[in-house]
Amino acid sequence: MKTISIDKSYGGTQGVYVSRSEACDCDMTFAVFVPPQAAEGKRPVLWYLSGLTCTHANVMDKGEYRRLAAELGLIIVCPDTSPRGDHVPDEPDNWQFGKGAGFYVDATEPPFSANYRMYSYVTDELPRLLAAEFPADMDRQGIFGHSMGGHGAITIALKNPDRFRSCSAFAPISHASVSGWSKPALRKYLGADEKTWRAYDACSLIEDGHRFAELFVDQGTADSFLEDGLRPDELRQACEAAGIPLKLRMQEGYGHSYFFISTFMEDHLRWHAQRLGK
């Protein structure tokens, strides 16, 4: 692991790091905020997964999480959204696929299967590195994210309910196998058999029997991607049918940007901290 930068913030440290990823076969950059309480012992971990076109830096620069994370004693981990490098296959003119659009899946279709293994990177490789290099209490983990990252957070939590104590999302892609945003990407990453897509679709995972204790979702009513891309009502219906408690707040007049995310970041951090502190 190589340190790119470390800056003191609210008594803690905001670091940016790079390490070689076996899962993605490239160097991967990630950010970690360590609160001041880590000087006294291991702290709970909250993973933040970003959305389409983003890197580790978007939430780090615009998410406004450090003040409260320092107060609550939370480690915040911000991975990148895809593999990077000249050798990584890409569609440069397609912002919904390729670099910046890994969708947190393990691709099975060549040539993407060689690098686009973001599920394994986020759930296995990066956690092992975090546990080895940072004062992280891996028995107290939560996960949240935005848009594509909200999709990633919910699907990962549903498949790993024993690992994560909490899960929330800002404007998640709730039904990835039918969403206009994600369906073309899943076809390229996973192949034509749509049954295989269900493993990376929140609504489908719930329909197939996966469960999580409770979910918390904020969604802006003025989000231009609400109807086709995000489909929160379908997540609501799936949770109701499965008996999963879902706190879905429709925030009047808010869009899809970090103006929306930063406004409600405090609510999400406090919600996670209550569950990670138990």
Side-chain angles (χ1 to χ4, degrees):
M1 185 180 76
K2 178 182 177 182
T3 300
I4 302 301
S5 65
I6 295 182
D7 292 285
K8 189 168 184 178
S9 181
Y10 295 100
T13 57
Q14 176 65 70
V16 178
Y17 309 90
V18 65
S19 66
R20 183 70 184 179
S21 169
E22 293 183 4
C24 298
D25 191 25
C26 66
D27 288 342
M28 294 291 287
T29 303
F30 60 98
V32 181
F33 176 76
V34 177
Q37 297 89 335
E40 302 171 3
K42 293 184 177 181
R43 302 305 306 168
V45 177
L46 185 54
W47 298 83
Y48 179 90
L49 305 184
S50 288
L52 289 163
T53 75
C54 293
T55 69
H56 70 282
N58 293 74
V59 68
M60 186 179 74
D61 294 342
K62 298 183 287 188
E64 301 181 19
Y65 58 79
R66 277 176 289 272
R67 178 192 60 78
L68 190 57
E71 175 186 320
L72 298 172
L74 297 174
I75 291 176
I76 310 292
V77 185
C78 310
D80 201 350
T81 56
S82 76
R84 305 282 176 175
D86 293 340
H87 70 291
V88 175
D90 189 24
E91 292 184 3
D93 297 328
N94 184 359
W95 64 276
Q96 295 175 328
F97 185 76
K99 294 178 187 178
F103 278 93
Y104 304 99
V105 307
D106 278 353
T108 56
E109 294 297 299
F112 309 107
S113 54
N115 303 100
Y116 288 85
R117 302 185 67 244
M118 289 299 296
Y119 179 83
S120 290
Y121 175 70
V122 169
T123 63
D124 180 34
E125 188 173 22
L126 190 54
R128 285 190 281 111
L129 180 62
L130 186 77
E133 300 289 345
F134 295 89
D137 184 349
M138 304 304 282
D139 290 329
R140 291 191 290 167
Q141 296 185 67
I143 190 166
F144 68 151
H146 170 232
S147 194
M148 179 185 72
H151 139 82
I154 296 174
T155 56
I156 288 171
L158 285 167
K159 291 192 282 187
N160 299 274
D162 295 333
R163 175 182 297 189
F164 297 100
R165 295 190 182 187
S166 56
C167 176
S168 74
F170 301 98
I173 300 173
S174 297
H175 206 170
S177 62
V178 300
S179 168
W181 266 15
S182 45
K183 186 174 181 178
L186 295 185
R187 183 178 301 276
K188 293 173 187 176
Y189 286 138
L190 303 175
D193 183 0
E194 296 186 12
K195 291 191 296 294
T196 65
W197 305 0
R198 299 182 70 84
Y200 300 104
D201 181 310
C203 289
S204 297
L205 284 167
I206 292 170
E207 290 172 2
D208 292 344
H210 291 266
R211 297 292 181 265
F212 200 74
E214 56 182 333
L215 300 171
F216 172 26
V217 172
D218 270 322
Q219 171 66 63
T221 63
D223 192 322
S224 59
F225 309 111
L226 182 61
E227 297 302 326
D228 179 46
L230 307 175
R231 300 171 179 254
D233 283 340
E234 293 173 31
L235 179 63
R236 187 205 304 271
Q237 292 166 13
C239 287
E240 287 178 352
I244 298 174
L246 169 64
K247 182 179 183 180
L248 174 59
R249 304 193 308 186
M250 300 301 295
Q251 302 291 1
E252 187 66 31
Y254 283 89
H256 197 70
S257 74
Y258 271 89
F259 296 112
F260 159 62
I261 297 166
S262 61
T263 299
F264 300 104
M265 178 63 75
E266 178 171 342
D267 292 351
H268 284 250
L269 293 181
R270 291 193 183 280
W271 191 84
H272 284 279
Q274 289 175 354
R275 286 146 184 84
L276 296 178
K278 295 179 182 177

